[in-house]
Amino acid sequence: YTDTKELFRSIQEDASIAHLRPHDLRRTFGRALDELNIPYYSSKQMLNHVDSGDVTGRYSELEKDKHLEYLQKVEEYFLATQ
């Protein structure tokens, strides 16, 4: 695939999902982070949300190991809910 839209359409067709948009996946990922009680600023960083007026996040930079730990929890969450 050379185009992410083409790839997304192909995945959508293979999964027989009629109305799925990339933002739906972001929302689902964010909901999983919330349900797993991942800290707010960590979730914000993992969703790549930037708030230029919020300097607090600068003091809670998430380390790579924590990212991996949280992503593992999210993976386990989705595998358990299938």
Side-chain angles (χ1 to χ4, degrees), residues 8-78:
F8 195 79
R9 270 193 299 274
S10 175
I11 293 169
Q12 189 175 344
E13 288 174 13
D14 289 347
S16 299
I17 300 173
H19 301 288
L20 181 69
R21 285 168 261 130
H23 194 76
D24 296 328
L25 300 177
R26 285 180 60 87
R27 194 171 19 255
T28 301
F29 180 70
R31 189 175 304 119
L33 294 170
D34 187 50
E35 288 184 22
L36 292 167
N37 297 315
I38 304 301
Y40 172 75
Y41 283 105
S42 299
S43 295
K44 197 170 167 178
Q45 288 175 332
M46 293 172 76
L47 287 164
N48 201 27
H49 283 183
V50 178
D51 184 356
S52 60
D54 184 4
V55 297
T56 308
R58 293 184 187 149
Y59 301 108
S60 71
E61 281 295 316
L62 190 61
E63 294 180 16
K64 184 178 180 181
D65 290 342
K66 274 295 186 191
H67 268 297
L68 294 175
E69 177 186 328
Y70 294 151
L71 288 172
Q72 181 69 38
K73 286 182 180 184
V74 171
E75 178 183 19
E76 292 167 2
Y77 170 84
F78 283 120

